[in-house]
């Protein structure tokens, strides 16, 4: 029969001293209070500086208090958690501030009239007008770019994953990586050079071609990763039954990964929806409604925002329209992301028996 040994300092325990659950919140409040005091004493008027001081004090204070109470090992874990939270807040606060500023300034003129009318004969410095022509242009240009880029990107990814094994595959992968990082203005200049060669005037489809160039590498990369996640056992089982490879890809591989592929395409659409430089070079903008993307200049939401800001001449009406158009564009991108998440969940492979 074994007996428990008792330390001279007191009874042994499996759990050491720990900080209470409210300790991180208390340290955060104390850090903010001290940071405000330091900022006021030092004459720092920027809240950003106060926030950075508070973040440093929070990390240092967490480590010091945790070391004194829990020991260095647990303190290292707490400081890692603190750094993660500080980095999260540093990323979220500017984003939240941007969204809040856009909402508060954009709702001033955002109504049904604004969404269903164009600028027409309204000058940029005058009140009134709307963004219907810009919404129509964005939908047509982005839609045509998707029709071009999505099939090419998906088929390219299928070739790289299912067939590509040689120098051609390596070359395609290299150029896809290069295209992923090219600035949008380069794609616009490429299409512009073709327009100058063939003596063509600005039109909406030219912008769609530039946007398709920017969209294709994103589609290829996202689709490629989704296809790689399909278990090889599914392919082998289909091939073992004598089914041709092309039919295996069409009936087994693509249905299994269709949710992720669709999500990648939707996110790539959201990526090109806010591009301004190619549209500025190739489409030029149009205050009137032009439903034909193959003839004449067109408007788009990013270009409309830029033009309202550039041609405002200090007009409050133009600034309000620019903020309202920005809010509409953010809502458009948010809807695309929500649709992508919904499709991914809907098309995700069902688990269970």
């Amino acid at each position: 029969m074994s007996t428990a040994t008792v330390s001279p300092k007191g009874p042994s325990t499996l759990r050491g001293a720990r900080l209470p659950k409210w300790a991180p919140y208390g340290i955060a409040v104390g850090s903010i209070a001290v940071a405000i005091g330091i900022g006021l004493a030092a004459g720092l008027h920027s809240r950003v500086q106060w926030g950075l001081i508070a973040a440093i004090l929070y990390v240092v204070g967490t480590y010091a208090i945790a070391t004194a109470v829990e020991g260095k090992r647990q303190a290292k874990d707490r400081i890692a958690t603190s750094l993660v939270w500080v980095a999260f807040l540093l990323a979220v606060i500017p984003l939240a501030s941007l969204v809040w500023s856009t909402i508060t300034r954009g709702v001033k003129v955002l109504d049904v009239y604004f969404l269903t009318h164009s600028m027409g004969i309204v000058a940029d410095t005058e009140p009134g007008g709307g963004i219907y022509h810009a919404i129509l242009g964005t939908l047509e240009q982005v839609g045509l770019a998707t029709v071009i880029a999505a099939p090419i990107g998906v088929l390219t990814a299928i070739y790289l994953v299912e067939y590509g094994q040689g120098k051609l595959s390596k070359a395609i992968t290299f150029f896809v990586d290069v295209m992923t990082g090219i600035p949008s203005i380069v794609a616009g200049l490429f299409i512009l050079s073709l327009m100058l060669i063939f003596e063509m005037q600005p039109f909406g489809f030219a912008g769609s071609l530039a946007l398709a160039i920017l969209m294709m590498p994103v589609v290829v990369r996202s689709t490629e990763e989704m296809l790689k996640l399909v278990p090889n056992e599914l392919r082998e089982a289909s091939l073992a039954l004598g089914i041709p490879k092309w039919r295996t890809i069409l009936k087994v591989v693509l249905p299994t990964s269709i949710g992720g592929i669709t999500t990648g395409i939707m996110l790539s659409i959201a990526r090109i929806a806010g591009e301004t430089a190619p549209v500025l070079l190739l489409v030029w903008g149009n205050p009137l409604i032009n439903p034909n993307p193959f003839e004449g200049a067109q408007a788009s939401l990013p270009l409309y925002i830029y033009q309202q800001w550039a041609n405002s001449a200090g007009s409050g009406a133009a600034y309000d329209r620019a903020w309202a158009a920005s809010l509409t564009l953010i809502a458009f991108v948010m809807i695309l992301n929500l649709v992508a998440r919904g499709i991914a969940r809907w098309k995700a492979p069902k688990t269970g028996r």
Side-chain angles (χ1 to χ4, degrees), residues 182-198 200 206-214 275-284:
I182 63 171
S184 59
I185 190 68
V186 175
L189 289 173
F190 172 70
I191 301 299
L192 180 62
S193 63
L194 297 179
M195 292 175 59
L196 294 176
I197 292 174
F198 293 102
M200 302 173 69
S208 299
L209 294 175
L211 296 178
I213 294 174
L214 298 173
E275 291 293 344
T276 307
V279 180
L280 180 62
L281 284 175
L282 306 172
V283 183
W284 279 23

Side-chain angles (χ1 to χ4, degrees), residues 16-20 65-75 78:
R18 293 185 62 85
L19 291 172
I65 296 174
T67 301
V69 177
E70 300 177 333
K72 288 187 177 181
R73 183 175 182 180
Q74 187 65 22
R78 287 191 176 275

Side-chain angles (χ1 to χ4, degrees), residues 305-353:
I305 296 168
Y306 169 76
Q307 289 177 334
Q308 290 298 306
W309 173 82
N311 302 327
S312 62
S315 171
Y319 283 139
D320 291 341
R321 286 194 295 265
W323 281 108
S326 301
L327 180 58
T328 305
L329 184 59
I330 291 176
F332 176 69
V333 174
M334 183 185 68
I335 291 172
L336 286 178
N337 281 272
L338 292 176
V339 170
R341 289 177 178 272
I343 293 176
R345 181 172 297 182
W346 174 43
K347 290 294 185 179
K350 302 297 185 294
T351 58
R353 298 179 180 178

Side-chain angles (χ1 to χ4, degrees), residues 149-227:
I152 296 176
V154 172
L155 293 175
T156 302
I158 291 174
Y159 170 77
L160 293 176
V161 175
E162 304 293 339
Y163 296 98
Q165 290 179 354
K167 293 183 178 180
L168 179 59
S169 175
K170 293 180 179 178
I172 293 175
T173 302
F174 172 76
F175 283 113
V176 168
D177 292 337
V178 172
M179 289 177 63
T180 303
I182 63 171
S184 59
I185 190 68
V186 175
L189 289 173
F190 172 70
I191 301 299
L192 180 62
S193 63
L194 297 179
M195 292 175 59
L196 294 176
I197 292 174
F198 293 102
E199 298 181 354
M200 302 173 69
Q201 297 297 319
F203 61 111
F205 184 65
S208 299
L209 294 175
L211 296 178
I213 294 174
L214 298 173
M215 184 177 175
M216 269 187 280
V218 181
V219 176
V220 172
R221 273 283 164 257
S222 60
T223 304
E224 189 177 0
E225 294 302 321
M226 290 301 104
L227 293 177

Side-chain angles (χ1 to χ4, degrees), residues 33-44 50 53 57:
V34 174
I36 294 174
I38 294 174
L40 293 175
L44 302 177
W50 295 3
I53 295 174
L57 292 175

Side-chain angles (χ1 to χ4, degrees), residues 40-63:
L40 293 175
L44 302 177
H45 302 289
S46 174
R47 295 182 180 178
V48 176
Q49 294 174 323
W50 295 3
L52 293 176
I53 295 174
I56 295 173
L57 292 175
Y58 175 72
V59 174
V60 174
T62 299
Y63 180 75

